[in-house]
Amino acid sequence: MRTETQTSSAYKEYIAGLAGGLATVAVGHPFDTVKVKLQKHNTETHGIKYKNALQCSTRILTNEGVKGLYRGATSSFLGMAFEGSISFGLYSQLKQSLQGELNSSKPQLQAIIPAAASVGSIISFILCPSELVKCRMQVQGTDSLISRNDRYSSTLDCVSKTFKNEGVKGIFRGGSATFLRESVGNSVFFSCYEYSRYYMRLQLDSSLSGHRDQQLKVLTDVGVGIVSGGLAGVAFWLTVLPVDVAKTVIQTAANTKSSRNPFQILGSIYRKTGFRGCYAGLGPTLARAFPANAAAIVSWELTAKLLGIRPDRD
């Protein structure tokens, strides 16, 4: 039976996670827009081709301004707010539960991986609809081959037309790819985060053992959060980017009866564009991964400490 203190702590974990999710979108959405456009257009046999991420970014800014880089941000903010809250909050709760009474400060893979994979599996069902709307909004800029009559005027319009034309099943298009990306990717993300954070703290604790300056400690915590979060984000995307490419293609396909099998889609992309096509959008993805995930981890950790649920145990 949960105590009042445990319930309060769990509630605060989800608030801290919410802060992390919002920070991810604020920092990373422009990079994500470029990534999605590259994944959509550079994997097709015919249509617009971008030479690289810089050219894609320049065309967006020239034709649509900064607003174009934040196309689809509304659904992204909503999706990532829920994802961040559940991802960080539930991960913390599950990891603590799996670790049980084990008091070792060293990361335990037997607790990290099941907790992270479970969280990824759960949030994929929440994330899939918001990602579908986000991707469909992102690919219909001025460079898009989508006719003006078929474009969405807003996020709400996209949701409404998707339900009307494809039903509930349509809003979950790309669900299998999202499930794979999140369950595998989260396992990699949290493992990398926990271990990089642990070993950095070991080095810093030994070198700063005589210091009691609180401001220095806060700066150190932020620095560790930036590096561990950034590295974890890069590891996540290097691992699952091909699945994400397949997800984008599935969710933005004009033919609603086209394959939803991510492995079939990747096979088709490979035959058309080679290995490079399976990693379409790699440049902006990695450029986004470090700062966006660093911001997420720092926001999560600092918010948690402000709420008093992460006593200074490092």
Side-chain angles (χ1 to χ4, degrees):
M1 186 174 179
R2 296 178 66 90
T3 66
E4 186 177 343
T5 301
Q6 288 175 320
T7 302
S8 175
S9 177
Y11 175 71
K12 290 175 181 178
E13 286 281 7
Y14 291 106
I15 294 176
L18 177 66
L22 293 175
T24 303
V25 181
V27 175
H29 192 83
F31 297 97
D32 187 66
T33 298
V34 175
K35 178 205 75 172
V36 169
K37 280 184 175 288
L38 289 170
Q39 289 177 339
K40 168 65 175 175
H41 299 300
N42 284 20
T43 57
E44 294 179 335
T45 305
H46 303 290
I48 299 162
K49 292 289 187 294
Y50 299 107
K51 293 179 181 178
N52 50 47
L54 181 60
Q55 188 211 20
C56 181
S57 302
T58 302
R59 286 178 68 163
I60 293 171
L61 288 170
T62 301
N63 296 329
E64 304 175 60
V66 175
K67 184 180 179 181
L69 291 172
Y70 278 91
R71 186 179 291 277
T74 301
S75 65
S76 189
F77 268 113
L78 292 172
M80 286 303 297
F82 279 110
E83 182 197 6
S85 180
I86 294 173
S87 181
F88 291 118
L90 187 56
Y91 168 74
S92 297
Q93 297 294 306
L94 287 175
K95 187 185 74 167
Q96 290 171 20
S97 176
L98 289 169
Q99 286 181 166
E101 298 300 318
L102 189 65
N103 292 319
S104 172
S105 61
K106 188 174 182 179
Q108 305 294 320
L109 278 179
Q110 65 267 35
I112 295 170
I113 292 178
S118 297
V119 167
S121 301
I122 292 168
I123 63 175
S124 68
F125 293 98
I126 299 169
L127 202 56
C128 182
S130 71
E131 289 248 332
L132 179 136
V133 174
K134 173 186 71 70
C135 288
R136 290 187 175 186
M137 293 293 291
Q138 285 173 320
V139 299
Q140 65 171 27
T142 53
D143 283 342
S144 176
L145 296 178
I146 302 171
S147 67
R148 292 192 174 276
N149 291 333
D150 293 327
R151 294 186 187 183
Y152 307 110
S153 59
S154 65
T155 297
L156 186 60
D157 183 50
C158 181
V159 173
S160 176
K161 286 181 178 177
T162 300
F163 270 117
K164 181 180 178 180
N165 298 329
E166 303 174 51
V168 174
K169 188 177 179 181
I171 206 73
F172 282 96
R173 171 176 288 274
S176 297
T178 307
F179 179 89
L180 279 173
R181 187 191 72 178
E182 293 301 315
S183 56
V184 174
N186 269 272
S187 299
V188 173
F189 178 89
F190 281 110
S191 296
C192 182
Y193 160 70
E194 296 278 12
Y195 274 92
S196 59
R197 180 178 184 274
Y198 173 74
Y199 286 110
M200 278 191 290
R201 294 300 320 197
L202 276 183
Q203 295 297 318
L204 288 168
D205 285 348
S206 61
S207 60
L208 299 174
S209 57
H211 292 273
R212 295 183 178 275
D213 188 339
Q214 193 62 32
Q215 188 175 19
L216 178 61
K217 185 159 185 55
V218 172
L219 290 174
T220 300
D221 288 342
V222 170
V224 170
I226 289 172
V227 177
S228 60
L231 290 176
V234 170
F236 176 102
W237 286 108
L238 284 175
T239 304
V240 300
L241 185 60
V243 178
D244 186 66
V245 173
K247 182 192 74 69
T248 297
V249 172
I250 291 168
Q251 291 184 325
T252 59
N255 181 4
T256 58
K257 295 183 179 180
S258 60
S259 174
R260 298 189 182 200
N261 185 319
F263 299 107
Q264 286 184 359
I265 296 297
L266 280 175
S268 176
I269 291 172
Y270 182 79
R271 288 190 293 272
K272 292 176 184 176
T273 59
F275 185 75
R276 185 177 181 180
C278 296
Y279 273 88
L282 178 63
T285 297
L286 294 185
R288 167 188 180 267
F290 197 99
N293 287 283
I297 290 296
V298 170
S299 299
W300 173 43
E301 291 187 343
L302 290 182
T303 303
K305 286 184 178 182
L306 286 172
L307 292 172
I309 54 174
R310 287 186 188 279
D312 212 356
R313 60 181 185 275
D314 298 313

